[in-house]
Amino acid sequence: MIIPGLKKSILNLNPISKSTIRPFWHWLNHVWNEYDSKRVEEVGPNRACAEWLLKCGAHVKFKNWGSYVVDFNKMPPGSFEAFKIEEIKAENACIMARGFEYFNGLKDVKKIKLVNCELIDDTALAKLSYLRGSLKELQLVFLPSVTDVGITYLYLLENLDDLYINYLPKVKDHKLGKKLLQEKLPNCKIEFLQEPDEIKT
């Protein structure tokens, strides 16, 4: 994830300087995804999770509160726990497994869309089980770090009604993956493709 305004400057760096950019962003992504238990105690799991998601470039929708929130200034006012996260949309966001700890304690998340998030891996998908009691709809599109192992963790999401998966490059056998998902989640509508040109928006 590149902060707006910095991309042009980064592209103009000399080759030696460019070699230091990747470690810097790796470090910064880890900092942004650090789980802060004290913050959770202070403001509650929903507010703390929303702050993490927004900081990492994702969007959140609160129950009974308009459309998706995209920045801190548009967070619902009043009591921190007056509003519950209902939907999450992460497109080209820098969220990663260590930050998924913020999902622990959320009870109202019904829909998640994860698109082109290169830091989401098998461990991150395993932690979606924190939301197994409420999650109804899940979309996973172009997650280059997810493997066949990560797909097996979705078996835990027994309340899913709709699962859409497309173009996970490291998944070797998506047909087998779909078959096993259908067996484990018989009440869920499942689409499992490996066709980037047919990505559902």
Side-chain angles (χ1 to χ4, degrees):
M1 174 181 175
I2 296 179
I3 296 175
L6 292 185
K7 184 175 182 180
K8 184 175 180 180
S9 298
I10 290 173
L11 292 176
N12 290 330
L13 292 173
N14 61 54
I16 295 177
S17 297
K18 282 182 180 180
S19 67
T20 67
I21 294 300
R22 187 171 182 84
F24 169 74
W25 289 116
H26 178 77
W27 168 81
L28 190 58
N29 286 332
H30 275 74
V31 170
W32 282 339
N33 281 276
E34 186 70 31
Y35 178 72
D36 188 344
S37 59
K38 290 184 178 180
R39 185 59 178 166
V40 175
E41 292 178 3
E42 290 173 357
V43 302
N46 282 274
R47 173 78 183 206
C49 183
E51 291 176 349
W52 159 64
L53 289 165
L54 293 169
K55 181 169 57 178
C56 292
H59 301 163
V60 298
K61 185 176 181 181
F62 292 94
K63 195 173 182 179
N64 302 320
W65 180 261
S67 58
Y68 278 98
V69 176
V70 300
D71 62 60
F72 285 6
N73 294 327
K74 295 182 179 179
M75 293 272 278
S79 172
F80 291 138
E81 283 303 288
F83 294 92
K84 312 293 185 180
I85 296 176
E86 189 172 46
E87 298 183 17
I88 296 168
K89 180 169 61 177
E91 299 181 4
N92 195 31
C94 66
I95 56 176
M96 60 197 306
R98 64 192 308 173
F100 276 50
E101 288 296 324
Y102 282 105
F103 290 150
N104 192 9
L106 302 191
K107 306 296 183 182
D108 300 272
V109 179
K110 295 182 179 179
K111 180 179 179 179
I112 295 181
K113 183 177 182 180
L114 306 175
V115 180
N116 192 25
C117 298
E118 64 178 16
L119 299 180
I120 291 179
D121 57 12
D122 296 341
T123 302
L125 293 193
K127 292 183 179 183
L128 288 177
S129 62
Y130 285 136
L131 307 172
R132 62 195 299 176
S134 62
L135 192 61
K136 297 293 185 180
E137 184 176 343
L138 178 62
Q139 293 185 30
L140 308 174
V141 178
F142 188 43
L143 305 179
S145 298
V146 170
T147 73
D148 299 76
V149 173
I151 298 303
T152 65
Y153 294 126
L154 302 181
Y155 301 165
L156 301 173
L157 305 177
E158 67 268 18
N159 287 315
L160 275 183
D161 292 328
D162 194 318
L163 174 60
Y164 176 79
I165 304 173
N166 197 355
Y167 195 41
L168 307 184
K170 286 190 177 181
V171 171
K172 297 179 180 179
D173 194 339
H174 77 284
K175 291 183 179 180
L176 176 60
K178 180 178 181 179
K179 180 177 182 295
L180 294 175
L181 282 167
Q182 289 173 328
E183 292 176 357
K184 300 294 184 179
L185 303 172
N187 298 318
C188 181
K189 175 186 174 183
I190 299 172
E191 290 184 77
F192 197 152
L193 309 173
Q194 288 287 48
E195 303 170 359
D197 293 334
E198 298 185 14
I199 290 176
K200 180 170 67 175
T201 59

